[in-house]
Amino acid sequence: MALELRPLCKKDYKQALRFAVVGMHFQNYTDQPLALQLYGRYFLYTELSRATEVLAAYENGRLSGVLMASFTGA
């Protein structure tokens, strides 16, 4: 198992959205699929816009996880 860290590919945004919905437990707040998708999308794009570094972990070419970080100061 070899993980490769590299920038998040735009084609993997849908998978990252699924990670956000599951990882943030949005299903605890609603059971409506459309609401889950919309809130997940809102969360993902908000955090992507705030992050100064976005790295994705790929295993054998498949997205395994996303790391978003915001660095400030000197």
Side-chain angles (χ1 to χ4, degrees):
M1 173 166 105
L3 288 177
E4 178 185 357
L5 294 178
R6 61 181 193 229
L8 179 63
C9 296
K10 199 159 185 108
K11 69 177 180 67
D12 293 322
Y13 278 20
K14 281 187 181 182
Q15 183 67 32
L17 172 65
R18 281 184 239 133
F19 289 165
V21 169
V22 172
M24 297 301 293
H25 304 285
F26 294 148
Q27 70 276 7
N28 291 344
Y29 306 105
T30 184
D31 59 352
Q32 300 294 321
L34 179 60
L36 288 172
Q37 285 291 334
L38 291 174
Y39 193 66
R41 184 172 296 205
Y42 168 78
F43 173 79
L44 178 66
Y45 286 114
T46 299
E47 294 308 313
L48 283 172
S49 70
R50 290 180 181 169
T52 57
E53 284 290 328
V54 179
L55 293 176
Y58 289 92
E59 181 179 8
N60 298 324
R62 287 191 61 220
L63 183 64
S64 296
V66 179
L67 172 68
M68 294 181 243
S70 179
F71 297 100
T72 59

